[in-house]
Amino acid sequence: TLAAKFGIYVAMVGVLIFALGVVTLKNLFHSALCLAAVLIGTAGVYLFFHADFLAAVQILLYVGAVMTVIIFAVMLTEHLAGKTVVQHNHQSIPAFLGLAVFTVIIGSVLLKAPWPVTPAALASQVTVMQLGEALMTTYIFPFEVISVVLIAALIGAVVIAKKDKEVEL
């Protein structure tokens, strides 16, 4: 319906606005909060497309786990907002030109690529239950390895931040 299309476009515009905040805000903590909003907005877009499992994974893994690690890292590293830290990027023009070239290349590839939609592809649907069973049976080892890596990264960030504080004393 028209209301659903309008809603998804509003969500996409919101994600773009927060994404601009991620790269333009001078305060690193505010940029991290904008990144969290981008990830939540992306989960909302997944919900519009009936990808419930992807939305749940987006919220649990990225917003829940990764953003927690990023926020801890930002808060534990106090000298990121010091006066000696450069707050301006002198490569804005080359970055914009690179973005323009990238956009043209990706746009031409997307427009030229065949997008066949077959009835068999539309009929094959994997349920959230099947994905959950696969994660907890076939892919349980990689799932647990990722959790150990995230915990190790968090502990490493705390240890590094604590060593920096001890050196300053």
Side-chain angles (χ1 to χ4, degrees):
T1 65
L2 184 62
K5 285 183 182 179
F6 180 74
I8 194 165
Y9 286 127
V10 167
M12 288 178 182
V13 168
V15 167
L16 285 175
I17 289 170
F18 280 112
L20 285 172
V22 170
V23 296
T24 58
L25 291 175
K26 294 186 186 299
N27 187 322
L28 191 59
F29 184 72
H30 293 157
S31 292
L33 292 179
C34 282
L35 180 60
V38 167
L39 296 173
I40 291 169
T42 304
V45 171
Y46 288 151
L47 288 175
F48 274 113
F49 290 123
H50 302 289
D52 301 339
F53 180 74
L54 283 179
V57 167
Q58 179 82 11
I59 295 290
L60 289 173
L61 288 182
Y62 289 109
V63 178
V66 174
M67 284 309 304
T68 301
V69 171
I70 289 173
I71 296 293
F72 271 123
V74 169
M75 293 177 75
L76 289 173
T77 311
E78 296 173 10
H79 64 276
L80 286 175
K83 293 182 179 182
T84 60
V85 177
V86 177
Q87 295 284 334
H88 187 270
N89 184 357
H90 297 288
Q91 298 175 346
S92 297
I93 293 173
F96 181 73
L97 293 175
L99 174 67
V101 169
F102 178 75
T103 302
V104 168
I105 291 171
I106 292 295
S108 65
V109 167
L110 288 176
L111 292 174
K112 292 178 183 175
W115 298 96
V117 179
T118 61
L122 291 175
S124 67
Q125 293 184 357
V126 178
T127 64
V128 174
M129 180 80 145
Q130 292 168 331
L131 286 172
E133 285 177 4
L135 272 179
M136 292 297 127
T137 55
T138 307
Y139 301 108
I140 188 70
F141 183 70
F143 188 75
E144 290 300 322
V145 167
I146 289 171
S147 67
V148 169
V149 168
L150 285 173
I151 290 172
L154 181 61
I155 292 171
V158 169
V159 167
I160 290 170
K162 186 171 170 101
K163 282 184 183 177
D164 286 346
K165 281 189 173 184
E166 289 174 358
V167 170
E168 291 174 5
L169 298 176

